[in-house]
Amino acid sequence: MIAPAARRHLSLRISVTEQCQLRCPYCMPAQGLPAASGEDVLKVEEMVRFVQILRRHFDLAKVRLTGGEPLVRRDVAALVAALAAEGIQDIALTTNGELLADAAAELRQAGLRRVNIHIDSLDAGTYRTLTRRGRLSRALAGVEAARRAGLAPIKLNMVVLRGVNDSEVVAMARFGLERGCEVRFLEVMPIGVAAASHREWFVPSAEVRHRLASAFDLEPLPVVPGAPSRDVRARDTLGRSGLLGFISPCSQPFCSDCRRLRLTSAGRLIGCLARAEGPDVSALLKAPHPGDEAGLLAAIDQALRLKLKDHCFADQRIMATVGG
Ligand code: SAM
Ligand code: SF4
């Protein structure tokens, strides 16, 4: 039985693949992850089947596609189109942007509305070091393509790491303001490969905000229930303004009103990033039988019950396998 309280609004993140062409050191092991066999990865129609069932029982307005790097999968535009055909109005993508230049227009046409692009540095050398193999020019071309395609809003995600890119927060905010993109500063979480260096890397959002206040006038905006980001409107001395956001899972956990459910590419349902465990529904999605819907609903209920009251990062699973 689904608890009555759970029959409310849900937002779904689908991690479409664990694979990524980059190797950010707080997310991926240097050698990457072993490739899953094709049979173990959910197909577009299996993901859509899950969404159809979810929609029959929950108020599901938003689906975000993530990974790994979602754009390394060639059928992402087909998935977006299928979700749009199911009536999902708000389809979003989280990407490192390096493959976006060639994909943005097609994704927009398929029904993608908005995009979060992860860029940790505007210095080509630091960006290269941080991704272990990426190219800043490709990510920036992705941002421009997203703007040209009319994806909106475009949010730029920067994970702030002490001694690595923390000196760049003002430059990143200016970059966003100049392009009409919101910049969101993320606290690094001690998940998976980040656990060992967390103490050394961690910069609390309050410190980032303090640095930004030296360059911008910051006006706090009302908190949006369920949103992980605390936003401010920033104005610079030239009168330009834009949004900045702070995502603070460590210093200010936002667990109490979290209504996010994750479906991994392997078909596991995860209620909470910090404790990446949950029921495996792949068999129910791959070979459906009459009566399976009850099993799926029980699994959803189980995943939602595994949500934590506070992030405690009990699980050390690699972030890319869970879907950030
Ligand atoms: N590849 C895409 C990307 O980089 O945006 C999507 C997947 S990635 C796992 C999603 C987000 O998780 C990115 O913004 C990334 O910076 C963030 N992330 C990964 N590991 C993290 C960690 N240990 N702490 C905080 N954020 C993390
Ligand atoms: Fe890839 Fe995104 Fe993880 Fe970086 S954060 S390694 S881009 S999945």
Side-chain angles (χ1 to χ4, degrees):
M1 268 295 280
I2 298 273
R7 288 185 181 277
R8 286 177 285 138
H9 166 77
L10 260 194
S11 89
L12 176 67
R13 292 189 171 216
I14 304 179
S15 172
V16 301
T17 177
E18 295 182 353
Q19 299 298 312
C20 181
Q21 78 279 47
L22 305 186
R23 301 281 184 269
C24 307
Y26 49 75
C27 174
M28 274 274 179
Q31 70 280 14
L33 294 170
S37 96
E39 280 166 24
D40 293 337
V41 176
L42 291 184
K43 296 186 174 59
V44 164
E45 58 269 26
E46 292 155 358
M47 294 173 179
V48 172
R49 187 171 298 141
F50 181 72
V51 168
Q52 287 168 336
I53 293 171
L54 213 54
R55 293 243 305 158
R56 285 205 278 276
H57 298 271
F58 292 86
D59 166 20
L60 176 72
K62 176 174 168 189
V63 176
R64 175 174 294 282
L65 305 181
T66 181
E69 172 49 41
L71 296 183
V72 302
R73 234 181 113 149
R74 289 173 191 276
D75 52 4
V76 172
L79 176 58
V80 170
L83 293 173
E86 286 300 322
I88 304 291
Q89 308 261 323
D90 191 355
I91 306 173
L93 174 77
T94 301
T95 172
N96 60 43
E98 290 217 7
L99 298 170
L100 194 55
D102 289 335
E106 187 190 2
L107 289 166
R108 177 77 184 101
Q109 205 168 16
L112 186 71
R113 261 179 59 175
R114 47 180 158 151
V115 67
N116 290 0
I117 304 175
H118 159 217
I119 300 184
D120 287 341
S121 174
L122 295 171
D123 175 86
T126 308
Y127 180 89
R128 180 80 173 178
T129 307
L130 263 175
T131 55
R132 291 195 182 112
R133 52 180 63 188
R135 276 221 215 114
L136 178 63
S137 57
R138 284 195 291 239
L140 297 183
V143 175
E144 287 315 311
R147 295 175 74 204
R148 272 199 308 277
L151 293 168
I154 299 171
K155 298 184 183 176
L156 305 178
N157 287 344
M158 175 185 190
V159 178
V160 183
L161 304 175
R162 189 173 302 286
V164 182
N165 64 353
D166 55 338
S167 60
E168 288 192 56
V169 295
V170 170
M172 190 64 86
R174 283 216 173 93
F175 178 86
L177 245 65
E178 284 163 7
R179 286 160 184 78
C181 304
E182 176 175 346
V183 177
R184 305 192 315 169
F185 301 97
L186 280 68
E187 287 180 350
V188 64
M189 293 181 277
I191 288 183
V193 287
S197 306
H198 189 255
R199 196 182 283 259
E200 171 197 335
W201 280 336
F202 181 67
V203 181
S205 290
E207 190 178 322
V208 175
R209 198 176 162 136
H210 185 71
R211 281 190 189 223
L212 291 166
S214 66
F216 303 96
D217 180 33
L218 302 178
E219 176 200 341
L221 296 175
V223 172
V224 179
S229 170
R230 297 287 176 263
D231 292 344
V232 298
R233 178 160 294 284
R235 288 187 186 77
D236 69 10
T237 50
L238 298 174
R240 288 178 300 201
S241 88
L243 294 182
L244 303 178
F246 302 92
I247 301 186
S248 318
C250 297
S251 69
Q252 219 181 359
F254 35 82
C255 304
S256 58
D257 49 7
C258 171
R259 295 295 296 161
R260 237 166 267 133
L261 180 68
R262 293 162 198 272
L263 174 66
T264 71
S265 55
R268 194 168 284 282
L269 283 181
I270 309 249
C272 176
L273 253 189
R275 192 167 115 192
E277 56 181 293
D280 181 351
V281 295
S282 58
L284 296 176
L285 295 174
K286 283 174 185 291
H289 296 290
D292 277 355
E293 190 157 325
L296 264 176
L297 289 174
I300 293 166
D301 188 33
Q302 187 189 343
L304 292 175
R305 285 174 195 279
L306 286 171
K307 277 189 181 297
L308 298 179
K309 291 210 174 57
D310 248 330
H311 275 157
C312 69
F313 299 107
D315 197 283
Q316 294 306 306
R317 208 166 296 209
I318 305 284
M319 181 81 157
T321 67
V322 186

